[in-house]
Amino acid sequence: MDKLELLSEIMTQLSQGKDAKDLIDQFLKTVPSISPEEITEVAQYLDDKGVFKDPNHHQNIETRVFALIDSKMPKHDLSSFPEGHPIHSYLEENVIIKGFCDRANKLLLDDNSYRTLNSDWFLISKEFLQLDIHYLRKENQLFPYLEKRGFSHPSTVMWSIHDQIRKLAKDFSQAIKADEEEIAKAILPQLAKDAFEMTIKEEKILLPKSAKILTQEDWIDIRHGEDEIGWIIPNPPGWNPNWTHPSQLNIEGLEHKQQMSKAVPFDKDNARHHHVGRIDLEVGAITPEQINLIFRYLPFDITYVDEFDEVRYYNKGEERVFPRSPGIIGRSVDKCHPPKSVHMVVQIVESFKKGEKNQADFWINFNDKFILIQYFAVRDADGNYKGVIEVSYDGTYIRNLKGEQRLLDWE
């Protein structure tokens, strides 16, 4: 049995609830090294075979296997990627994240630090919440391109671990705000451990594999979409080796954003009616530019998924409830949601397709806001299913309204 067969059998037995002790001992004794490509080949193969049914169970198995193979993996040199390249940004952020973990562990070593250095505990709680940005870029930009290259494994497993770390960070922050010392001290060791281990998984498996299978054009597209999500580090420079003058990157987009935020009085004398390029709609006819402007200024997020379950559109408002980036266009809808909620999305879509339901509503408290999330079935004139629209709306303002206001009040 070669090392890939051995690793495959270990993971399969663990998925069946067996301890696989003999195989693990054999692996440790006989396998001198294993590469990221070999590991991901096994993981993707088992994923495709459906060996792992439960994402949470899968996550636990991967955590155990990673501890097993960590010492067998070489550390790849990723330092050659230029500033602005997504891999460079991930590595820079990992330095910062490891710093969070190091400071957390130092606080935990001092029994009196919670009382004597309370501001440090508060600061570290705010810093760990920033992990969400790092993970969002992976989920919305990197993972879609890996899926296009046949590597869907991170979307199912690593995303689950992201969510686990996010929850720990949120629970830790809430414990600090409520001054619940025992709860905070109980959460922080696991949070620091999981966040640190994720940086190692990225540097030893995910990023080397990504560097190998993604093309330069993929990375250019990934970098272009990152601006909509952001970074933990200061905004890196634009990166596109195909452009002659990097200092002029995204000038058009910057000017457009400035124009969007600048109100210009309407000049009736010089204004012209838009006749050319109008599209006849069910009611009225407007230009593509007007359509884009209408959707941009709607005070809620819209995402459209077609009848083939592929994301085809989202509106680019200035302040979205949930981040979106161009990487999701063409992506299967079941890859665009956290693993823990995918089953609900699939259930909704299937009910819409069967004609059983036309709407599904959810409301949550998110980042101190009351968020309404609605799904609507899209059907043509004959009732044929043509997709689903997801609408997300910050309803905090409306929820807090009382009485009536019938007069204009701009004071």
Side-chain angles (χ1 to χ4, degrees):
M1 188 181 302
D2 68 20
K3 60 183 175 183
L4 299 190
E5 292 174 328
L6 189 54
L7 183 59
S8 176
E9 186 60 28
I10 289 171
M11 296 182 76
T12 300
Q13 287 198 14
L14 290 175
S15 72
Q16 296 168 350
K18 302 175 182 178
D19 62 16
K21 184 179 182 305
D22 292 341
L23 291 174
I24 290 173
D25 289 342
Q26 182 182 345
F27 184 91
L28 292 172
K29 290 176 183 177
T30 62
V31 177
S33 66
I34 190 165
S35 70
E37 289 76 26
E38 290 171 325
I39 295 165
T40 54
E41 180 184 333
V42 172
Q44 189 66 54
Y45 169 73
L46 295 176
D47 236 5
D48 293 342
K49 282 185 64 177
V51 170
F52 305 108
K53 304 295 184 185
D54 181 355
N56 292 325
H57 187 207
H58 191 171
Q59 173 188 328
N60 294 333
I61 293 170
E62 291 247 338
T63 300
R64 185 174 173 185
V65 169
F66 181 77
L68 166 69
I69 62 179
D70 185 25
S71 63
K72 304 290 184 178
M73 287 186 293
K75 185 167 183 179
H76 287 250
D77 181 13
L78 297 169
S79 60
S80 61
F81 290 93
E83 187 178 8
H85 190 290
I87 286 184
H88 187 282
S89 299
Y90 282 125
L91 293 175
E92 274 200 320
E93 289 187 336
N94 277 353
V95 172
I96 294 173
I97 293 168
K98 289 173 184 175
F100 297 165
C101 300
D102 183 56
R103 292 205 306 279
N105 289 325
K106 287 178 180 177
L107 289 176
L108 289 165
L109 287 173
D110 183 351
D111 291 336
N112 298 317
S113 66
Y114 186 84
R115 292 301 167 192
T116 59
L117 299 171
N118 188 265
S119 60
D120 286 1
W121 283 77
F122 179 77
L123 177 61
I124 204 73
S125 72
K126 303 290 282 186
E127 289 174 335
F128 272 119
L129 290 174
Q130 296 180 65
L131 294 174
D132 182 51
I133 300 172
H134 184 84
Y135 298 155
L136 281 172
R137 286 209 322 282
K138 289 165 64 180
E139 294 159 358
N140 289 278
Q141 281 300 105
L142 181 57
F143 290 178
Y145 283 87
L146 293 176
E147 289 163 15
K148 291 173 184 176
R149 302 297 174 186
F151 185 33
S152 61
H153 189 67
S155 301
T156 56
V157 178
M158 194 168 275
W159 197 333
S160 294
I161 302 174
H162 291 170
D163 284 344
Q164 174 184 305
I165 297 172
R166 284 184 176 109
K167 185 177 187 310
L168 287 169
K170 185 176 181 180
D171 291 347
F172 177 64
S173 176
Q174 290 174 342
I176 293 296
K177 288 179 181 178
D179 196 20
E180 295 173 325
E181 180 178 353
E182 290 187 9
I183 295 176
K185 285 184 173 180
I187 295 173
L188 188 55
Q190 190 67 48
L191 172 57
K193 176 178 179 292
D194 289 354
F196 180 82
E197 287 182 353
M198 177 56 72
T199 66
I200 303 303
K201 289 173 183 175
E202 290 176 8
E203 292 168 12
K204 285 196 171 185
I205 302 177
L206 179 69
L207 296 179
K209 175 71 172 182
S210 301
K212 186 176 181 66
I213 67 174
L214 296 183
T215 67
Q216 179 169 277
E217 291 303 315
D218 290 336
W219 287 115
I220 291 171
D221 289 344
I222 290 169
R223 173 61 187 88
H224 178 69
E226 288 183 332
D227 291 298
E228 294 192 32
I229 297 174
W231 301 265
I232 296 176
I233 57 176
N235 289 7
W239 172 81
N240 187 336
N242 293 338
W243 288 357
T244 306
H245 301 291
S247 61
Q248 299 301 309
L249 286 179
N250 207 28
I251 290 294
E252 182 181 349
L254 177 61
E255 289 177 348
H256 179 67
K257 188 170 183 179
Q258 291 172 340
Q259 291 168 3
M260 288 293 295
S261 60
K262 181 181 178 182
V264 179
F266 178 64
D267 186 348
K268 181 179 179 180
D269 294 333
N270 293 316
R272 294 288 183 272
H273 283 292
H274 294 277
H275 293 291
V276 178
R278 282 183 175 177
I279 299 172
D280 290 326
L281 303 175
E282 188 172 14
V283 178
I286 52 180
T287 66
E289 179 192 18
Q290 291 168 334
I291 292 172
N292 273 316
L293 287 172
I294 290 169
F295 278 102
R296 177 180 281 273
Y297 280 97
L298 287 175
F300 42 81
D301 300 354
I302 290 179
T303 303
Y304 170 64
V305 178
D306 68 15
E307 63 266 46
F308 302 105
D309 301 337
E310 294 179 353
V311 179
R312 287 294 151 211
Y313 174 82
Y314 68 89
N315 63 332
K316 294 183 64 174
E318 290 299 308
E319 295 185 15
R320 292 190 58 87
V321 176
F322 302 113
R324 292 280 188 271
S325 62
I328 71 167
I329 300 300
R331 195 180 191 190
S332 177
V333 67
D334 63 347
K335 296 290 194 301
C336 297
H337 292 79
K340 64 183 179 182
S341 62
V342 164
H343 68 284
M344 283 194 296
V345 176
V346 171
Q347 181 182 349
I348 290 168
V349 171
E350 289 304 312
S351 295
F352 287 177
K353 286 181 176 179
K354 293 175 182 176
E356 298 171 346
K357 300 288 183 182
N358 285 308
Q359 181 174 336
D361 299 337
F362 303 89
W363 48 95
I364 60 174
N365 293 305
F366 178 72
N367 290 341
D368 299 323
K369 297 177 181 178
F370 174 75
I371 306 298
L372 176 64
I373 306 166
Q374 296 180 292
Y375 295 86
F376 300 96
V378 178
R379 306 188 189 280
D380 64 16
D382 296 321
N384 297 307
Y385 176 78
K386 290 295 180 180
V388 56
I389 293 175
E390 176 187 333
V391 179
S392 301
Y393 184 76
D394 178 2
T396 309
Y397 171 75
I398 290 179
R399 201 182 198 202
N400 292 330
L401 291 177
K402 299 184 185 303
E404 295 182 346
Q405 180 170 308
R406 293 173 175 267
L407 301 176
L408 181 62
D409 182 10
W410 282 353
E411 292 294 329

